[in-house]
Amino acid sequence: MNKTKRYEILTRLRDDNPHPTTELNFSSPFELLIAVILSAQSTDVGVNKATDKLYPLANTPAAIYALGLEGLKEYIKTIGLFNAKAKNVIETCRILVHQHNSIVPANREALEALPGVGRKTANVVLNTAFGWPTIAVDTHIYRVSNRTKLAMGKTVEKVEDKLIKVIPAEFKIDVHHWLILHGRYTCIARKPRCGSCLIEDLCEYKDKVE
């Protein structure tokens, strides 16, 4: 795929959704961090249902840590892998309280040192909470990037590296959101909705579905 075609794809996605953001509900970097930790292998809808009950009562590291492991589980037990996630969240809150003055660090190394936080989660927090031009590659973005040939790679890391390389600076802040939403609602896994896709004529997928 050439630069001109990539630019047109990104321009159309921007024109269609000029101010994209995550579908996770949050009102602070901490709320976003916890929601993203909880969202691993779970839907944003499911996470929002849990955090909409949790955050009005506990939305700081100290408050969630005070709930304790079993107390937190009561709020997130409807989310997949909630036992492991509860342990990670409680330990993350402990570290934030004791090592970071209850402030989410705007630093990749410090974020990735938190339990349950890998590169993808750190990228989401750095991008959405702090405005860094990072690109978090999940299964949706991996699929869309390879299927359209926007940025091809055999691993999520290679796709991320390629996206960082080929996406013009003016689009980097928002491209993560555009691609994840495109993969979630249009370029879906089993049967992409090519007939209603705003970039169908630019996409280089060979097996398009009407």
Side-chain angles (χ1 to χ4, degrees), residues 21-89:
T21 189
T22 178
E23 293 186 314
L24 291 168
N25 295 338
F26 75 98
S27 60
S28 69
F30 174 71
E31 287 187 2
L32 175 65
L33 171 64
I34 299 306
V36 179
I37 292 174
L38 295 177
S39 72
Q41 299 181 51
S42 303
T43 67
D44 288 0
V45 172
V47 172
N48 288 338
K49 286 181 180 178
T51 57
D52 285 350
K53 295 178 181 178
L54 171 65
Y55 288 161
L57 297 175
N59 70 340
T60 66
I64 290 182
Y65 186 58
L67 288 175
L69 189 60
E70 296 306 316
L72 176 59
K73 285 181 183 179
E74 284 301 307
Y75 288 96
I76 68 170
K77 61 186 177 182
T78 56
I79 300 173
L81 307 174
F82 75 92
N83 284 308
K85 290 175 181 178
K87 291 179 182 178
N88 286 336
V89 167

Side-chain angles (χ1 to χ4, degrees), residues 141-160:
I141 295 175
Y142 178 81
R143 179 178 65 255
V144 170
S145 297
N146 276 292
R147 184 183 273 169
T148 62
K149 298 197 168 115
L150 181 70
M152 300 179 70
K154 292 184 177 181
T155 66
V156 292
E157 291 82 7
K158 289 188 181 301
V159 169
E160 180 185 338

